[in-house]
Amino acid sequence: MLVPHATPTLSPARVTAVLRILVLSTFVVLLNETIMVNAIPRLMRDFEVTAAAAGWLSMAFMLTMAVVIPVTGWFLQRVTTRTAFGLAMALFLTGTALAAAAPAFPVLLAARVIQASGTAVMMPLLMTTLMTLVPPHDRGRVMGNITLVISVAPALGPAVSGVLLQLGSWRLLFLAVLPIAGAMAVFGRRNLVNIGEPQAGPIDWLSVPLAAAGFGALVYGLSGLGAENAA
């Protein structure tokens, strides 16, 4: 059983600042979940791939999050808050930069997986910090506000991508996000505080590959069924 971190003593203003940093960072990384939807026609032309293959840029993102998020709970118990934030943003920035410069479709797909790995760390980090810092009587209100942000980010993805695609290449989808995410990473590392002390905890390692295989087979089967019906 995981042992919860000790609750730190922070002023209300400091708690608000920490949560704002995490919420804004989570918004930026979640925006990329659906940002590729409108770019599929261009990607099909530039990389000479089918619509089903291009669709994996979004499916691989969601699949990676589904596999990584369960492991993140164990990971967050073993590292500090600043370390987890730094790793999440480093993965996201690496994936974003690689996607912007991707010379081939497999590279772009791998970049999306790296992006999603960082996003998968950020979401549990936000929720864990919220449950640790916010008093029980105020958690409902704060969680409602944060859930609204998390819900709006993927919904805005297609709209943002549509505007950016009107201005230039699909690579602009990543080039526009890169400096914003970079600024959030630097600002967050400077202002975040560690919440509690790292503690070792057990994990069922067998469930990790089983979950990856199960989700992968499910998504692959559904995508194949859709392609067959379309044909």
Side-chain angles (χ1 to χ4, degrees), residues 19 46 50 126 132 183:
L19 291 178
D46 292 352
T50 64
L126 171 61
T132 303

Side-chain angles (χ1 to χ4, degrees), residues 56 59 63-64 66-67 209-223:
W56 270 97
M59 286 188 288
L63 175 61
T64 301
V67 173
L210 288 178
F215 280 116
L218 176 62
V219 174
Y220 181 80
L222 293 175
S223 62

Side-chain angles (χ1 to χ4, degrees), residues 45-201:
R45 182 180 64 251
D46 292 352
F47 291 120
E48 298 181 350
V49 296
T50 64
W56 270 97
L57 292 172
S58 295
M59 286 188 288
F61 193 101
M62 292 183 286
L63 175 61
T64 301
M65 288 182 59
V67 173
V68 175
I69 283 178
V71 184
T72 305
W74 168 82
F75 172 73
L76 293 178
Q77 288 285 326
R78 302 181 68 91
V79 300
T80 63
T81 305
R82 298 181 76 249
T83 299
F85 177 84
L87 176 63
M89 295 305 294
L91 285 171
F92 182 79
L93 288 169
T94 300
T96 303
L98 184 60
F105 184 78
V107 177
L108 180 59
L109 185 59
R112 290 287 287 170
V113 171
I114 297 173
Q115 268 192 323
S117 299
T119 304
V121 175
M122 186 62 68
M123 290 181 62
L125 175 61
L126 171 61
M127 289 302 178
T128 300
T129 305
L130 183 154
M131 296 299 291
T132 303
L133 293 182
V134 178
H137 68 273
D138 209 23
R139 285 175 187 168
R141 179 185 61 81
V142 176
M143 187 171 292
N145 293 335
I146 290 177
T147 301
L148 178 63
V149 173
I150 293 176
S151 302
V152 167
L156 285 179
V160 172
S161 66
V163 173
L164 293 176
L165 289 172
Q166 291 293 324
L167 300 176
S169 166
W170 59 266
R171 298 182 189 275
L172 190 59
L173 299 177
F174 303 104
L175 292 174
V177 171
L178 196 58
I180 300 174
M184 290 304 306
V186 173
F187 182 76
R189 283 286 294 175
R190 288 180 177 176
N191 293 277
L192 274 180
V193 295
N194 291 325
I195 310 301
E197 296 294 332
Q199 300 171 355

